[in-house]
Amino acid sequence: GEDGERIPAFATSFVRENLAEVMQEFAKDFKVMCEDFATFIPGQEMSHKMKEHHQHFLNLLDQRTEGFLSQLPADERKVELLLERVARETEAGKVLIDNLLSYAFDFEAFATMMHEVYRDAHPIQHVRVLWDIENLGLGDLKKKQAGLIEPLLSALDSLGYPKTADRRIVSFAPPGVVPKHSMDILIDFRVKPVNSKSNKEAADHELKAHASDEMKVLSPESTAFVIISSDKDFNATIKECRERGFATAVIHEAQRGSDHELLLHVYADQVARWRDFVIEEGVGGKGDDEDNHGGKGHGGGRGEGGGKGKGGGKSVGGGCGS
């Protein structure tokens, strides 16, 4: 607008640089406050402590913004116009303003960012992969044999879990479902097969019980649980892991756009599709239909991001946002 044109370029540059410095300063505060966001799940009621931290952020933002704006001549302190100009001039400026406004006015975006700061501040030392192999991956294992294991390990790399971490993969299936030669391959690659007592439901129970037992002995700050399945029955397990402060990831082939897929993005820190790592036309585990277990897996493109919030979420195959 006309008023915007009268704001000199030095003013918007000054504001952008100072806002960037303010956000860098906040990084120190975020690392101190993030512990209280360890168990945050979008959509849940916020604790009193979380709300206090958000108010502290708003108070500091007001103080620091007012501090540098006071250095501008009075007729150039058109805050809304300045912010609009900063966001318009460069992509970095747009990201900066978008993040700032998001964290200030959207508590859930602020809490999501803080949860990600918490996760980044606590390197993963233990990775527990719980593989519902009858539901997802058995067809690939039968066809690709040992060639399936490398894509599986590469999936863990892409999720950001270090090779130096104590990675343990356990597969769950009813007796006789996994052929002996496939079972031998799993064992050769140090995947621990667990045969349930009888049916599919028993295998699901074994997986949930195993997750519960591991949560009793491992530290939430340094442990990640990865569930490989398209079965919506495990949503409660993923949610429990997250509520107890563990890092969570799901590799799945749930129906795109389904309520189940949307919930995975709520409960898990990271979400990826099996097809992104094991791509072969006509080969797949079971997908997710109305009865949880029907249909073929969906083929699909790459790049399903797993992060949440603006500018801070992790995505499969990438690092943190700015």
Side-chain angles (χ1 to χ4, degrees):
E2 193 176 317
D3 286 338
E5 294 303 321
R6 288 202 291 266
I7 296 176
F10 87 86
T12 52
S13 176
F14 175 80
V15 169
R16 183 177 64 251
E17 289 169 8
N18 276 274
L19 283 177
E21 287 179 11
V22 166
M23 290 301 281
Q24 287 175 358
E25 290 173 22
F26 276 134
K28 301 170 187 174
D29 297 312
F30 292 160
K31 286 180 181 177
V32 174
M33 299 187 293
C34 70
E35 299 292 328
D36 291 308
F37 294 83
T39 61
F40 169 75
I41 295 178
Q44 285 196 337
E45 187 174 350
M46 315 305 170
S47 70
H48 178 69
K49 198 72 176 172
M50 289 180 187
K51 291 177 181 176
E52 277 189 349
H53 289 320
H54 188 234
Q55 188 58 53
H56 175 66
F57 166 71
L58 293 178
N59 293 341
L60 286 178
L61 183 60
D62 282 345
Q63 291 170 17
R64 295 177 188 183
T65 304
E66 187 177 339
F68 70 75
L69 284 177
S70 66
Q71 298 175 47
L72 289 172
D75 62 342
E76 291 168 9
R77 294 179 210 157
K78 304 176 179 71
V79 179
E80 288 185 15
L81 290 173
L82 279 167
L83 295 183
E84 285 177 12
R85 284 276 299 268
V86 169
R88 249 191 351 251
E89 286 179 355
T90 66
E91 183 60 29
K94 183 179 186 306
V95 171
L96 176 65
I97 299 302
D98 283 352
N99 283 348
L100 210 105
L101 295 177
S102 177
Y103 301 156
F105 297 108
D106 183 345
F107 180 83
E108 192 160 287
F110 175 79
T112 297
M113 177 272 295
M114 292 296 289
H115 175 77
E116 289 162 355
V117 170
Y118 169 81
R119 287 266 54 103
D120 288 341
H122 295 83
I124 297 300
Q125 299 173 15
H126 307 279
V127 181
R128 297 297 181 260
V129 182
L130 309 180
W131 186 3
D132 180 13
I133 193 168
E134 184 188 18
N135 178 270
L136 188 59
L138 182 57
D140 293 312
L141 179 62
K142 289 177 179 178
K143 181 162 185 175
K144 299 173 78 72
Q145 300 295 307
L148 177 66
I149 304 301
E150 186 178 342
L152 180 56
L153 296 177
S154 100
L156 300 181
D157 295 339
S158 295
L159 289 167
Y161 303 137
K163 289 183 172 68
T164 54
D166 172 27
R167 295 174 170 183
R168 300 186 188 182
I169 304 174
V170 183
S171 65
F172 300 84
V177 166
V178 181
K180 184 181 183 307
H181 66 279
S182 297
M183 191 78 78
D184 291 341
I185 289 169
L186 293 177
I187 294 169
D188 285 345
F189 283 90
R190 294 193 293 181
V191 176
K192 180 182 177 183
V194 173
N195 283 325
S196 60
K197 294 178 181 177
S198 56
N199 55 18
K200 164 67 179 165
E201 286 67 33
D204 290 355
H205 178 75
E206 290 274 3
L207 190 154
K208 294 172 186 176
H210 191 89
S212 181
D213 289 343
E214 291 278 36
M215 281 190 275
K216 291 174 184 174
V217 297
L218 292 169
S219 167
E221 291 84 1
S222 59
T223 303
F225 281 94
V226 181
I227 290 182
I228 303 177
S229 180
S230 299
D231 190 339
K232 65 185 72 170
D233 288 347
F234 296 123
N235 282 2
T237 301
I238 299 161
K239 183 181 178 185
E240 181 185 0
C241 290
R242 175 75 177 264
E243 286 176 337
R244 293 175 65 169
F246 292 93
T248 53
V250 180
I251 300 174
H252 73 100
E253 275 302 317
Q255 183 178 349
R256 292 184 185 275
S258 64
D259 289 344
H260 175 34
E261 184 186 35
L262 295 175
L263 281 175
L264 291 179
H265 281 273
V266 171
Y267 295 150
D269 291 304
Q270 300 193 78
V271 178
R273 284 191 168 271
W274 178 263
R275 290 282 132 240
D276 290 349
F277 302 101
V278 185
I279 300 176
E280 185 140 0
E281 196 66 33
V283 180
K286 296 180 182 178
D288 182 75
D289 67 0
E290 295 302 317
D291 298 322
N292 298 345
H293 308 302
K296 293 256 182 173
H298 293 261
R302 294 178 176 272
E304 176 173 68
K308 309 174 184 77
K310 294 194 178 184
K314 292 183 177 178
S315 61
V316 175
C320 294
S322 57

